Amino acid sequence: MPLIRIDKASLAFGTRPLLTDVELNIEPGERIGLVGLNGAGKSTLMKVINKEVALDGGDLWIDPACRIAQLPQALPAADERRVWDVVAEGLQDIVNLRREYDEVASQDDISMSKLESLQQKIEALDGWQLEQNVERVLTQLSLDGEALMSSLSGGWRRRAALGAALVQNPDLLLLDEPTNHLDIGTIEWMEQQLIEFRGGLLFVSHDRALVDHLATRIIELDRGVLTSFKGNYTSYVEQKQVLLENEARQNALFDKKLAQEEVWIRQGIKARRTRNEGRVRTLEKLRNERAERMNRQGKASFNLEEAQKSGKLAAELEHVSVAFEGKQVIRDFSMTLQRGDRVGLIGPNGAGKSTLLKLILGDIEPDSGSIKRGTKLEVAYFDQLRGQLDMDKTVIDNISEGRESIEINGNTRHIIGYLNDFLFSPERARTPVRALSGGECNRVLLAKLFSQPANLLVLDEPTNDLDVETLELLEEILMEYKGTVLLVSHDRAFLDNVVTSTVAFEGNGRLKAYVGGYKDWLRQRPEPTAVGKEAGKNAPKPAKEAAKVEAVKAAPAPKKASVKLSYKLQRELESLPAEIEAAENSLEALQSEMADPAFYEQDHAKVAEKVAQLSEQEATLERLMERWVELEAMQEG
């Protein structure tokens, strides 16, 4: 039996339909990802289910026993409330009943009938277990109930908000962009919590990795129509491509038939003969159908205004350290940033990513160490806080700065045409920025950024609130961009698809550079050990591999045949040192090739291929060394 059933639902704002004869069932335990372009009506559909918005037509049925909770997109305020009280707000109806019960019970002239009525209501809601339920959720989410919200980071405030939803023990949890402004560690933690949640989920997120890992079904809202796709996000993309190709073929056939009929009707008197009246009516029907057919909203289409090339060296940091108020933010860090590098910065909120950007750009100087900055640098900066936008001005005024046209890569564009590339109609382009959605604000900022000549792009969380299709276009543009990119993002798929290397903030001011994107960092980063799990200090894989290689080299030659090894195994043991040495030489050659700054100026696919080869070679070396240790142990035994 479904939790939610929607039948032939219709809803429009003005003349714009958001839902057209929509049907949807949500079954217990389903994890449904809701996707669609910005402005398609995803948030509105969730508000319909939460009974915040009424349908114009159709039916919404909710199982009377179904409890629905919502995780708001906005973070809870950083005020003086205790975390315990914020989580308990999820049971506000019980809190109110308990408060009213206490007030009635404390009166001199107690109304026993009212007290009994309140007690029955509280018992029906299991309200006497309020404290135990709150404590259970605090423990589950590792929250300190006595901490003040003002003392928490955004990620911990998001945990408190999730606690307020989970304490209700909902059958269906609604989430609208739950990962915005969260760091990767918190996103992964939330992802795991939601996978373990036993109720149903309906969620909207631009984080493709989250959707892919979490969703058991995808529903897409496109031009007022809701379409369901079984499986995760990867499966949805494949199925959607097939649908779009079929739709394009059907539209082409329809348009061809309509064009033929239009030619026929213009033949004159022959078309108005009585026996052809049916054909005339058919043409009229085709015209109406064509007029009603809603064309798919256009995709954003934009290009970067590229400045002249910078020098080959963008920045060189040598043994740089920075501390604020006694806290070491960056400790003895060195790196070289070459023209064409696309570097992702990975680390928790507050780790120092913005500090590193300011060092590279020259906004601050290090406490120790030196920085050499490149020549002819022209910087364009994407600020996640949108400080570069005047919220009271229109979109046009923010971009044009009084001009009617702008120049992009030598071509003059009218400002209205330029903004149309970013999906702003003339009417929307004249709207104050304050009235736009989050995704539209980010598109305005991208339009402003890309209208400036630049050879060094600094992007601080550019993906928040963007729909997936705009995200994918932004990825393509950045991969084709000839300048240098510094990217701060918690979008794991975006990092994997764009950057050629990453700088990870590993705690206590320690930074380390890695080849490749987010998945490559996961593979190469330090691994927990029995001691490391407690101390938080781990030895990196390459160091462990090097130690094993040295142990092999330093070890005496394998002993002669022993009764415990067969002839075949003895021959294998004797050949292993040479194989290990050959594998080590191959690995060193790859590492040397990838250490050349020019390596990353190649096509992204070639870089990715070499990174994959590096991973395979490391695995081969590891396997050979483990086999050598195994055979040695057998012989010594």
Side-chain angles (χ1 to χ4, degrees):
M1 183 175 180
L3 300 173
I4 305 288
R5 185 171 62 243
I6 297 177
D7 292 321
K8 299 188 181 303
S10 297
L11 180 65
F13 288 164
T15 59
R16 181 187 174 198
L18 292 180
L19 305 175
T20 305
D21 289 335
V22 163
E23 298 197 0
L24 172 66
N25 283 0
I26 301 179
E27 301 292 339
E30 278 196 297
R31 300 197 299 266
I32 302 175
L34 175 56
V35 301
L37 296 174
N38 287 341
K42 302 186 295 293
S43 296
T44 302
L45 178 60
M46 297 184 78
K47 289 178 179 178
V48 167
I49 292 173
N50 209 31
K51 295 188 175 179
E52 297 174 46
V53 173
L55 292 170
D56 294 337
D59 297 314
L60 166 66
W61 177 86
I62 300 176
D63 185 337
C66 176
R67 285 169 292 188
I68 300 176
Q70 186 169 22
L71 179 65
Q73 186 174 352
L75 288 174
D79 52 24
E80 298 308 304
R81 291 176 298 167
R82 295 184 308 157
V83 170
W84 199 101
D85 296 323
V86 172
V87 173
E89 285 177 4
L91 300 173
Q92 192 62 50
D93 52 347
I94 294 176
V95 171
N96 293 338
L97 286 171
R98 289 272 299 265
R99 185 181 297 122
E100 186 179 356
Y101 181 91
D102 291 340
E103 290 173 357
V104 172
S106 64
Q107 293 172 359
D108 294 333
D109 184 15
I110 299 176
S111 171
M112 297 305 297
S113 61
K114 187 171 185 180
L115 201 63
E116 184 179 350
S117 174
L118 287 169
Q119 182 173 345
Q120 289 175 352
K121 290 179 181 178
I122 293 171
E123 288 176 351
L125 295 171
D126 195 24
W128 300 119
Q129 300 297 316
L130 170 66
E131 289 80 7
Q132 293 90 328
N133 289 333
V134 172
E135 290 295 337
R136 172 180 53 80
V137 170
L138 290 173
T139 301
Q140 177 186 349
L141 304 186
S142 302
L143 287 165
D144 178 4
E146 296 304 313
L148 298 180
M149 295 294 287
S150 58
S151 69
L152 301 184
S153 67
W156 284 98
R157 281 153 53 207
R158 176 70 76 190
R159 286 196 190 206
L162 180 60
L166 294 180
V167 77
Q168 302 173 50
N169 195 22
D171 300 291
L172 178 64
L173 183 58
L174 307 177
L175 306 99
D176 192 356
E177 295 291 0
T179 64
N180 273 2
H181 309 297
L182 299 185
D183 57 51
I184 289 178
T186 307
I187 290 172
E188 291 179 330
W189 170 87
M190 175 176 285
E191 184 179 288
Q192 188 59 39
Q193 292 293 320
L194 295 175
I195 288 173
E196 294 173 1
F197 175 61
R198 294 186 178 181
L201 292 177
L202 177 63
F203 64 99
V204 175
S205 177
H206 69 271
D207 188 321
R208 289 159 292 177
L210 178 85
V211 180
D212 208 36
H213 297 159
L214 198 56
T216 57
R217 179 161 66 110
I218 300 292
I219 55 174
E220 181 193 50
L221 187 55
D222 179 19
R223 294 164 285 175
V225 177
L226 205 61
T227 308
S228 178
F229 300 84
K230 291 182 179 180
N232 62 4
Y233 183 77
T234 301
S235 176
Y236 152 74
V237 170
E238 296 169 354
Q239 296 175 66
K240 181 62 178 177
Q241 184 60 37
V242 173
L243 282 181
L244 288 176
E245 291 171 357
N246 290 338
E247 181 182 356
R249 283 194 293 269
Q250 291 169 3
N251 287 345
L253 291 173
F254 178 93
D255 292 342
K256 181 178 180 181
K257 181 178 180 181
L258 176 59
Q260 291 172 343
E261 293 302 296
E262 292 289 1
V263 170
W264 170 80
I265 196 67
R266 285 170 176 76
Q267 291 177 354
I269 190 67
K270 186 172 75 169
R272 292 192 290 273
R273 292 176 183 170
T274 302
R275 65 176 179 273
N276 288 326
E277 285 180 0
R279 192 171 178 181
V280 174
R281 287 193 295 271
T282 299
L283 173 58
E284 185 177 352
K285 183 178 178 182
L286 287 173
R287 286 172 172 173
N288 291 336
E289 186 176 341
R290 180 63 181 85
E292 291 174 0
R293 190 174 80 200
M294 298 176 62
N295 291 319
R296 181 173 175 79
Q297 180 182 340
K299 294 183 181 180
S301 172
F302 45 86
N303 292 293
L304 283 165
E305 166 71 346
E306 294 193 22
Q308 62 176 326
K309 283 187 177 181
S310 66
K312 187 166 185 179
L313 177 71
E316 185 175 33
L317 287 69
E318 292 188 354
H319 305 290
V320 168
S321 294
V322 176
F324 292 118
E325 300 178 353
K327 179 184 178 183
Q328 200 72 38
V329 179
I330 297 176
R331 186 192 305 270
D332 192 26
F333 177 60
S334 301
M335 74 172 289
T336 300
L337 184 65
Q338 301 276 4
R339 182 182 68 225
D341 286 351
R342 299 193 298 273
V343 181
L345 307 187
I346 297 176
N349 291 334
K353 298 186 292 295
S354 297
T355 300
L356 179 59
L357 292 178
K358 290 176 181 178
L359 278 174
I360 294 172
L361 298 179
D363 295 337
I364 61 174
E365 295 298 329
D367 299 333
S368 61
S370 63
I371 300 179
K372 180 180 179 182
R373 299 180 181 91
T375 58
K376 300 180 183 178
L377 290 178
E378 294 189 44
V379 180
Y381 197 111
F382 182 100
D383 175 15
Q384 65 166 319
L385 300 179
R386 302 165 186 157
Q388 298 157 289
L389 299 180
D390 187 329
M391 306 302 285
D392 295 319
K393 288 185 178 180
T394 65
V395 176
I396 290 177
D397 291 338
N398 266 281
I399 307 302
S400 68
E401 298 176 346
R403 300 168 294 173
E404 288 190 359
S405 59
I406 57 176
E407 188 170 304
I408 305 293
N409 292 327
N411 298 318
T412 301
R413 299 285 309 278
H414 192 278
I415 188 65
I416 293 294
Y418 176 69
L419 288 173
N420 187 59
D421 291 347
F422 292 82
L423 300 182
F424 289 105
S425 65
E427 295 77 19
R428 204 63 177 162
R430 297 183 176 90
T431 301
V433 172
R434 190 175 302 281
L436 302 180
S437 68
E440 288 174 318
C441 284
N442 271 15
R443 291 209 305 267
V444 176
L445 197 51
L446 287 173
K448 186 177 181 70
L449 181 79
F450 291 172
S451 67
Q452 305 166 4
N455 50 36
L456 174 58
L457 279 179
V458 181
L459 305 173
D460 188 0
E461 288 294 347
T463 65
N464 283 345
D465 300 313
L466 292 181
D467 60 58
V468 172
E469 292 189 347
T470 306
L471 269 179
E472 291 174 346
L473 178 61
L474 180 57
E475 287 173 351
E476 292 175 12
I477 290 171
L478 292 177
M479 285 189 285
E480 295 173 0
Y481 180 56
K482 303 301 182 184
T484 308
V485 177
L486 292 172
L487 172 65
V488 177
S489 179
H490 302 310
D491 187 320
R492 294 160 288 178
F494 193 75
L495 284 167
D496 277 332
N497 293 338
V498 171
V499 304
T500 56
S501 62
T502 55
V503 173
F505 289 70
E506 300 185 335
N508 298 320
R510 292 184 175 85
L511 283 67
K512 186 171 181 181
Y514 294 88
V515 174
Y518 175 74
K519 289 181 180 177
D520 298 299
W521 169 68
L522 285 182
R523 179 179 53 78
Q524 300 172 70
R525 69 177 176 174
E527 286 186 345
T529 61
V531 176
K533 287 181 180 178
E534 296 183 8
K537 297 178 182 178
N538 314 307
K541 269 187 183 177
K544 289 194 284 186
E545 289 172 354
K548 287 184 181 178
V549 173
E550 293 303 318
V552 171
K553 288 182 176 179
K559 298 176 183 179
K560 293 186 178 180
S562 167
V563 294
K564 295 203 175 184
L565 286 182
S566 66
Y567 175 77
K568 182 178 179 182
L569 291 179
Q570 180 64 37
R571 292 293 302 272
E572 182 184 356
L573 176 60
E574 292 172 352
S575 67
L576 276 172
E579 290 182 47
I580 290 172
E581 186 174 358
E584 185 187 13
N585 291 338
S586 297
L587 184 61
E588 287 177 354
L590 275 172
Q591 290 171 336
S592 176
E593 180 182 357
M594 295 171 74
D596 184 354
F599 173 79
Y600 296 103
E601 296 180 3
Q602 302 180 86
D603 181 72
H604 181 72
K606 292 182 179 179
V607 172
E609 182 181 352
K610 287 293 182 182
V611 170
Q613 288 179 15
L614 180 69
S615 178
E616 290 175 7
Q617 195 61 39
E618 287 175 341
T620 298
L621 182 58
E622 180 79 13
R623 177 179 55 77
L624 289 171
M625 288 188 292
E626 287 179 354
R627 182 60 173 165
W628 181 86
V629 171
E630 178 186 2
L631 291 178
E632 274 288 284
M634 290 172 60
Q635 179 172 254
E636 291 174 359

